[in-house]
Amino acid sequence: MTLPARHRHGSLMERGSPRSEMTTDFEDIFERMNRFLESTGLTRSLSETMAWAPLADMSETDDAYVIECELPGAKREDIDVEITEHELAITGEIKEREREGVLRRRGRPVGRFEYRALLPTDVRADDVQATLSDGVLKVTIPKAKAAKPRHIEIQG
């Protein structure tokens, strides 16, 4: 849980007005609450219960749909890729690694993750391929071959 950061230079209103003083007071309260939640570890326990969505790109080529999903630190055995008739689901967990010292700031997510994408019905689900390299999961979903138009000669 991240609360708004305090803005020290300027505000939506001019400094010195009663409204700007109230805004500054609220900014102070948010900053204190954020520090309190971080110190109690409460923000960590709240975020661990909810799955987060990794960053991903979905592109289309002539032959396939390609999803590239960023999962730094994830291991193959901790990732599950499932495809149904209309949906791709990438789920799993990135486990927190052991560290020396005290972690002062977390910038990379850990815990359960979930990414879902709707798919057109014209895919070959049996031929889907997934690879994990350099923290990027690449899922290639081949398109089904559509019936090509064909010219029909009219017999006389």
Side-chain angles (χ1 to χ4, degrees), residues 51-70:
W52 52 274
L55 297 175
D57 292 333
M58 182 177 191
S59 57
E60 180 180 359
T61 66
D62 290 339
D63 301 324
Y65 297 97
V66 179
I67 292 89
E68 293 177 314
C69 189
E70 292 185 17

Side-chain angles (χ1 to χ4, degrees), residues 63-140:
D63 301 324
Y65 297 97
V66 179
I67 292 89
E68 293 177 314
C69 189
E70 292 185 17
L71 296 170
K75 297 180 181 171
R76 283 179 173 82
E77 59 269 13
D78 295 330
I79 302 171
D80 187 35
V81 178
E82 290 184 2
I83 189 165
T84 62
E85 192 173 312
H86 299 287
E87 185 178 47
L88 169 74
I90 301 170
T91 58
E93 182 176 7
I94 294 179
K95 296 178 179 154
E96 187 168 356
R97 62 183 175 95
E98 291 187 29
R99 304 175 187 273
E100 284 187 29
V102 177
L103 180 63
R104 296 289 182 189
R105 178 168 291 206
R106 178 180 307 280
R108 295 182 290 173
V110 294
R112 287 186 20 79
F113 62 85
E114 181 176 317
Y115 173 81
R116 294 187 177 275
L118 292 176
L119 300 170
T121 57
D122 59 342
V123 298
R124 296 190 329 241
D126 294 335
D127 297 326
V128 173
Q129 294 180 346
T131 58
L132 181 65
S133 177
D134 297 326
V136 177
L137 176 69
K138 182 177 180 180
V139 181
T140 305

